[in-house]
Amino acid sequence: MLVLGIETSCDETGVALYDSEKGLLGDALYSQVKMHAEYGGVVPELASRDHVRKLIPLIREVCQQADLQLSDLDAVAYTSGPGLIGALMVGASTGRALALALGIPAIGVHHMEGHLLAPMLEESPPSFPFVALLVSGGHTQLVRVDGIGEYELLGESLDDAAGEAFDKAAKMMGMDYPGGPLIAKAAQTGDSSAYKFPRPMTDRPGLDFSFSGLKTFTLNTVEAAKDDEGKLDPQTLSNIAAAFEDAVVDTLAIKCKRALQHTGFKQLVIAGGVSANRKLREKLDEIVRKERSGLFYARPAFCTDNGAMIAYAGCQRLMAGESTGLAIQTRPRWPMDTLHPLGSEQPEGGAQRG
Ligand code: KG4
Ligand code: ZN
């Protein structure tokens, strides 16, 4: 089954072609980050308009890459939530209309299910069941995964997501958006022991997270370290970046270890933009080795938003006989644990509930 995947939930237009037999055949991405950087965050209306400009050319590009025509497609998968409503509508209406014109099925995919399954596109994929840490700009969740659509939320952030904490801390340090990769870069030349940042909620039982206190701590540290002209010297900036990154990584790692022990599972999957973080991967690698478990993640380009994960996730559900009706539905808020197991009975109209 050849599936075109479309991702437009936030500030990246992603398109890919996934074939259930041959694997990934084409993949193209346009990132809007430069456009949003000057505003210090994503401007929803600008995001929607840019998806409109870029989506069709990217669909043409992946077809060319794979030397295929639209008429070769068996189905279309698009992100239908969660995300920015206007941005989602561009991908959903384009994907739905294209499928209608071609007389093939379409399916609305949950963005976080896409992230969760992205490591399945790698050479040594995990097998069910496993524990997943989903860490993106909008989500920080620990999930017990027994199969596609069989998700039990074990813990989540009570306030900011980990990626959001990176982005806000970066802003305080005078860095651009998105801040995660920039903090990671600055941290490389920093000494994390120069500051002692808290590890929020790690001294309490449970698997929830909280990053807002860390944000306040960062703001106070940055302000106290500024010179008389309100500037930070580069080494101090790197030290703060390293101490902040260590605090987030340690906090996530402590809860991952707890989740592995709680479930007794031997596989840990990390997905979403923050899973591209090298220090997080190194720290979790140490932990899984001690727990005699395995760590799985996608290549960096498939940790952040992309079309391949949507094509893959959509393909799995389509092959199980699911599809979404003709109505163009988007769900800006859509809890992942309301998804149904692969191929199980669906509500009328397709794969989306509510
Ligand atoms: O999954 P994603 O591309 O979009 C959402 O669904 O939110 O995640 C974007 C987030 C941003 O907050 C960004 O700062 C963060 O992932 N991120 C990183 C790194 N690369 C991206 N955070 C820390 N270290 C990185 N290397
Ligand atoms: Zn994402």
Side-chain angles (χ1 to χ4, degrees), residues 4-16 27-36 45-63 65 87 90-91 94-95 98:
L4 175 75
I6 296 175
E7 156 61 35
T8 63
S9 68
C10 190
D11 57 350
E12 253 117 25
T13 321
V15 179
D27 166 47
L29 185 93
Y30 178 80
S31 174
Q32 307 176 348
V33 294
K34 279 209 186 87
M35 178 179 78
H36 298 295
E45 183 56 26
L46 294 182
S48 312
R49 290 176 193 212
D50 214 41
H51 287 307
V52 171
R53 277 191 287 269
K54 299 298 180 336
L55 185 51
I56 304 277
L58 286 182
I59 294 174
R60 288 207 186 98
E61 190 182 323
V62 291
C63 286
Q65 273 178 27
V90 178
T94 307
L98 187 59

Side-chain angles (χ1 to χ4, degrees), residues 79-343:
T79 304
S80 53
L84 302 170
I85 178 103
L88 288 167
M89 279 304 289
V90 178
S93 50
T94 307
R96 184 57 269 184
L98 187 59
L100 181 67
L102 294 168
I104 55 177
I107 191 158
V109 173
H110 192 289
H111 180 78
M112 297 311 292
E113 181 166 83
H115 274 305
L116 175 75
L117 298 177
M120 297 290 184
L121 290 161
E122 302 304 328
E123 240 172 60
S124 321
S127 53
F128 301 110
F130 53 76
V131 169
L133 172 72
L134 298 176
V135 267
S136 69
H139 294 79
T140 300
Q141 296 180 326
L142 268 167
V143 186
R144 174 193 164 116
V145 182
D146 287 288
I148 296 179
E150 296 174 59
Y151 310 131
E152 185 195 332
L153 188 62
L154 301 171
E156 65 181 333
S157 177
L158 305 177
D159 39 61
D160 292 351
E164 196 179 355
F166 266 105
D167 295 339
K168 288 178 177 169
K171 205 169 180 178
M172 293 168 195
M173 293 181 223
M175 297 174 188
D176 278 344
Y177 172 87
L182 300 175
I183 288 192
K185 187 155 185 272
Q188 280 172 13
T189 50
D191 170 13
S192 63
S193 67
Y195 296 94
K196 183 89 194 97
F197 275 58
R199 271 63 174 155
M201 290 181 70
T202 50
D203 53 356
R204 285 188 236 169
L207 295 167
D208 285 334
F209 306 90
S210 164
F211 291 106
S212 71
L214 200 53
K215 198 173 57 184
T216 312
F217 192 90
T218 307
L219 182 64
N220 293 338
T221 306
V222 168
E223 289 308 315
K226 280 181 178 166
D227 62 19
D228 293 343
E229 289 168 21
K231 289 193 181 132
L232 280 178
D233 76 82
Q235 189 56 50
T236 305
L237 188 77
S238 292
N239 292 349
I240 297 175
F244 172 84
E245 186 184 43
D246 265 19
V248 176
V249 165
D250 269 358
T251 306
L252 294 172
I254 289 167
K255 299 287 164 103
C256 283
K257 182 177 171 185
R258 237 180 245 178
L260 284 174
Q261 290 170 345
H262 169 81
T263 54
F265 289 174
K266 292 288 170 205
Q267 297 177 91
L268 175 65
V269 166
I270 52 170
V274 183
S275 70
N277 186 279
R278 201 171 46 85
K279 273 214 185 125
L280 178 66
R281 291 173 172 206
E282 285 169 5
K283 181 84 192 176
L284 291 176
D285 219 28
E286 257 173 52
I287 284 176
V288 296
R289 257 187 274 129
K290 281 189 199 140
E291 297 289 314
R292 297 177 189 283
S293 303
L295 179 67
F296 301 84
Y297 43 71
R299 69 197 83 167
F302 293 168
C303 287
T304 45
D305 292 349
N306 64 88
M309 66 185 195
I310 302 304
Y312 177 84
C315 185
Q316 305 313 305
R317 288 201 176 268
L318 286 155
M319 285 198 301
E322 298 182 22
S323 66
T324 305
L326 281 178
I328 297 166
Q329 287 178 315
T330 54
R331 297 197 56 185
R333 289 178 187 277
W334 188 5
M336 201 167 90
D337 53 4
T338 62
L339 290 176
H340 58 271
L342 192 64

